[in-house]
């Protein structure tokens, strides 16, 4: 796998992360962003140098993490999925879990605009389309599939539960957004509109009663806690398999630092050879917080409905 990763990158990556701005170390030449052949950073399209891939971690380290982290998450899914996809928890046919058509249309529109900016806009640098694997786009893809794909209620239920945890990655953008590579006309403005719209679907699923964060309000508190953490583990495992198992090799192939899988986000304090593992701990904590907020929201909805009765 280590050699496969090196081959994917085609010998183009530098050992260190190229600076986002000119270092001024050479009067005649720009900083180098790629090698074999040498490509100077100031010759790249606007926004490209901010996201170039590099060997921040060695190919050996990336390969080991891919194998062991992905394997651990796959084993977690094998152990937990049979418990979560039990048909008893979802009354198939009792209520359609297909979202309102408006959510499918908005999902399709946002994905179409994202594709335009990443493929057809003149400012799009090479391989920018690979950024469709970012969490915001994954969220729209899941919402779109919920509306149009021929899925059973059991599968839809698990996808919505995943979104209730995964939503926290959308919230995180409002605290620390990196828009350095967005150079298209109104692309930054669309970025913010896109993320505001992403806030709506999870609350919609709870408000309409299509899903519940609880296994059943009559159940014991212990079972509710178990149910809570099972969905957190499920969401962490799905996210880990996607980004360690698939997005990491996609980053090497595209020569782009997709979702910071090859080097850490700047200015966050997250650094060092263990940064990807630390990020998994932070994501797990974030999923707990995000899902906890959804539990509180559902309890408020439940209390309001009780008062009306």
């Amino acid at each position: 796998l280590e050699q496969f990763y090196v081959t994917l990158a085609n010998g183009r990556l530098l050992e260190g992360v190229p600076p986002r701005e000119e270092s001024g170390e050479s009067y005649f030449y720009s900083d180098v962003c790629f090698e074999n052949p040498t490509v100077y950073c100031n010759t790249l399209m606007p926004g490209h140098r901010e996201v170039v891939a590099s060997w921040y971690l060695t190919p050996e380290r990336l390969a080991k993490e891919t194998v062991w982290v992905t394997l651990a998450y796959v084993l977690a899914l094998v152990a937990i999925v049979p418990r979560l996809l039990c048909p008893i928890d979802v009354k198939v046919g009792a209520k359609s879990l297909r979202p309102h058509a408006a959510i499918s249309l908005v999902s399709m529109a946002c994905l179409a605009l994202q594709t335009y900016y990443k493929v057809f806009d003149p400012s799009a640098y090479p391989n920018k389309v690979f950024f469709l694997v970012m969490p915001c786009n994954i969220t729209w893809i899941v919402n779109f599939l919920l509306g149009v794909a021929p899925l059973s209620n059991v599968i839809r239920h698990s996808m919505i539960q995943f979104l209730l945890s995964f939503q926290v990655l959308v919230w995180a953008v409002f605290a620390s957004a990196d828009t350095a590579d967005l150079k298209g006309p109104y692309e930054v403005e669309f970025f913010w509109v896109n993320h505001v719209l992403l806030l709506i679907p999870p609350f919609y699923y709870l408000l309409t009663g299509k899903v519940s964060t609880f296994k059943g309000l009559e159940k014991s508190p212990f079972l509710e806690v178990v149910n809570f953490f099972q969905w957190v583990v499920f969401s962490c495992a799905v996210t880990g398999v996607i980004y360690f198992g698939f997005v990491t090799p996609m980053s090497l192939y595209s020569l782009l630092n997709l979702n910071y899988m090859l080097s850490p986000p700047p200015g966050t304090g997250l650094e060092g050879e263990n940064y990807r593992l630390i990020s998994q701990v932070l994501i797990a904590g974030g999923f707990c917080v995000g899902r906890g907020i959804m539990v509180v929201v559902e309890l408020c909805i439940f209390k309001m409905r009780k008062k009306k009765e």
Side-chain angles (χ1 to χ4, degrees):
L1 185 58
E2 175 187 348
Q3 185 57 46
F4 173 67
Y5 277 1
V6 173
T7 303
L8 270 181
N10 201 24
R12 303 297 313 281
L13 303 189
L14 301 178
E15 289 187 6
V17 181
R20 286 193 162 201
E21 297 180 356
E22 287 297 304
S23 63
E25 293 179 358
S26 172
Y27 180 81
F28 297 102
Y29 298 104
S30 164
D31 297 305
V32 175
C33 274
F34 296 109
E35 55 187 8
N36 298 320
T38 298
V39 176
Y40 294 105
C41 297
N42 64 2
T43 65
L44 298 178
M45 295 182 67
H48 191 179
R49 74 179 292 165
E50 288 83 356
V51 294
V52 295
S54 63
W55 292 122
Y56 181 86
L57 300 178
T58 65
E60 181 183 8
R61 177 61 185 253
L62 282 176
K64 286 181 178 179
E65 284 189 2
T66 296
V67 171
W68 293 112
V69 174
T70 304
L71 178 61
Y73 280 136
V74 168
L75 291 176
L77 287 173
V78 170
I80 205 168
V81 164
R83 298 172 179 269
L84 295 176
L85 299 189
C86 178
I88 296 175
D89 294 333
V90 184
K91 296 179 180 179
V92 180
K95 176 182 286 189
S96 174
L97 299 187
R98 193 186 300 271
H100 192 280
I103 290 182
S104 298
L105 290 174
V106 171
S107 301
M108 185 170 60
C110 288
L111 286 171
L113 278 170
Q114 288 279 25
T115 303
Y116 167 77
Y117 278 120
K118 290 170 172 50
V119 179
F120 301 106
D121 187 81
S123 69
Y125 48 79
N127 293 332
K128 190 176 180 181
V129 67
F130 282 90
F131 274 97
L132 286 174
V133 299
M134 294 297 282
C136 59
N137 298 314
I138 294 291
T139 303
W140 280 132
I141 290 170
V142 172
N143 278 298
F144 180 71
L145 292 176
L146 283 167
V148 303
L151 305 171
S152 69
N153 267 7
V154 173
I155 299 299
R156 281 197 174 91
H157 177 259
S158 65
M159 292 170 71
I160 296 172
Q161 293 287 355
F162 167 75
L163 289 180
L164 295 182
S165 302
F166 196 71
Q167 176 77 1
V168 76
L169 297 184
V170 175
W171 300 347
V173 168
F174 294 93
S176 178
D178 186 357
T179 60
D181 71 315
L182 307 181
K183 302 299 182 181
Y186 302 105
E187 189 173 6
V188 173
E189 289 81 357
F190 169 67
F191 172 89
W192 289 113
V193 171
N194 182 56
H195 283 81
V196 169
L197 290 173
L198 280 168
L199 299 175
I200 299 174
F203 294 101
Y204 160 81
Y205 294 123
L206 291 181
L207 284 168
T208 56
K210 290 184 179 294
V211 296
S212 172
T213 58
F214 298 96
K215 205 170 183 67
L217 291 176
E218 74 283 355
K219 301 288 186 179
S220 71
F222 174 75
L223 289 179
E224 296 296 359
V225 171
V226 171
N227 179 65
F228 178 95
F229 284 106
Q230 282 181 333
W231 283 115
V232 168
V233 171
F234 172 81
S235 303
C236 288
V238 171
T239 303
V241 169
I242 291 173
Y243 286 100
F244 276 81
F246 295 97
V247 175
T248 296
M250 288 171 64
S251 297
L252 293 169
Y253 175 78
S254 65
L255 304 180
L256 298 172
N257 186 24
L258 303 175
N259 204 44
Y260 308 109
M261 293 308 296
L262 298 184
S263 60
T268 61
L270 189 63
E271 56 186 24
E273 65 177 8
N274 294 317
Y275 89 91
R276 300 205 315 170
L277 302 180
I278 295 172
S279 71
Q280 293 305 290
V281 176
L282 296 176
I283 287 173
F287 283 0
C288 288
V289 172
R291 192 168 186 86
I293 291 173
M294 290 299 179
V295 168
V296 172
V297 169
E298 187 174 4
L299 283 173
C300 292
I301 294 171
F302 179 75
K303 288 182 179 180
M304 286 188 294
R305 287 174 178 165
K306 280 291 187 181
K307 287 182 179 179
K308 289 182 180 180
E309 293 175 358

